[in-house]
Amino acid sequence: MSDGTATTTTDLDVRLEKHRVELTGYCYRMLGSSFEAEDAVQDTMVRAWRSYDKFEGRSSLRSWLYRIATNVCLDMLTAGNKRARPMDLTESTPLAQAALSPRPDNTWLEPMPDSRVLPTTDDPAEAAVAKESVRLAFMAALQQLPPKQRAVLILREVLAWKASEVAELLGTTVASVNSALQRARATLAEREQPGAEATVSDPLDEEQQKLLERYVAAFEGYDMTTLTALLHEDAIMTMPPFDLWLTGVGDITGFMTTLGAPCAGSRLVPVRVNGLPGFAQYKPDPEKGGFIPWAVQVLELSDGRITGFHCFLDTQRWFPLFGLPLRLEAEPDKVEEGV
């Protein structure tokens, strides 16, 4: 390879790489899976690299990449699998009947670090829309849409593309795009998603910061009285990969002091996840001392209370994704915040 070709190749790699985060966000919204989204983006980059000599510049490089990414995602969605949260699949279980029944990984809507899907922007309004569009409730709502409607809604409502641009990307008409958008909006309006009422300031306001500080103190101290005061009376707790979900303060704290009792004495490390406050939970290691990963917690807040408490338990997958260590020694305060 000549020096000129090497320089061109390097330049193309740099140009493609600039779009990785926003493309990952797009594929994540389409697919509902952290790892499938990253696979889809890698496939997009490889396809773009291989066919770049055929790219004639009739559209921007960004539009061309979105076209490739859309086709990759639509191909991946042909199997018809819809990622879900526990409350999308079953009724709430009373604590007295609680049983931990896992379902396969591809059942679940997966968490995602903000840094992998939210591009940096100087526009506060744009940043707010981006964060809202990766929150668990909105992500779950997207999964209810047919794949092409999903793509249209994301491109038009989240990324603010013009109808004509979406029509060109999908190889269809403006009228078809507008019709798909109308149907998608109607579907979302019909299906109220638990957690959709969550309101989180960006950045967190003083009241929300104090709520999280009280939560950390209550959880690490396993103080159920204080935790009860912080939870909304209709709060929801989920624990994928288990399909069990609980609603109401009594059942949540009751679970934590029975089946969840080994979590007493845990340590929490802040993470930024799905545009919401979150924590990596490490529970005590009874064999070797220190702390071992247990869950990535995602919290939904509304009106000064915690309304959603979602614990993703597949720590061998989630902790590396968030750049978190797989062990804490007995001095957790020295651990840096995850990404």
Side-chain angles (χ1 to χ4, degrees), residues 85-99 103 194 233-239 242-252 255:
R85 300 175 299 170
M87 55 274 212
D88 303 322
L89 302 177
T90 65
E91 294 298 318
S92 176
T93 306
L95 178 60
Q97 300 170 20
R103 296 202 189 191
E233 61 182 7
D234 296 323
I236 287 172
M237 179 181 183
T238 68
M239 292 163 284
F242 301 116
D243 58 14
L244 169 74
W245 64 284
L246 302 167
T247 182
V249 175
D251 277 2
I252 292 173
F255 178 89

Side-chain angles (χ1 to χ4, degrees), residues 19-34 37-38 41 66 73 112-119 130 133-134 139 142 154 158-159:
H19 298 281
R20 182 176 292 275
V21 172
E22 64 170 309
L23 287 172
T24 304
Y26 175 61
C27 293
Y28 175 59
R29 295 177 185 101
M30 285 289 291
L31 301 170
S33 163
S34 320
E38 297 202 327
V41 172
Y66 269 94
C73 289
M112 185 64 122
D114 286 1
S115 60
R116 290 181 182 255
V117 291
L118 299 178
S133 68
V134 294
M139 290 287 300
L142 286 176
I154 296 166
V158 177
L159 301 177

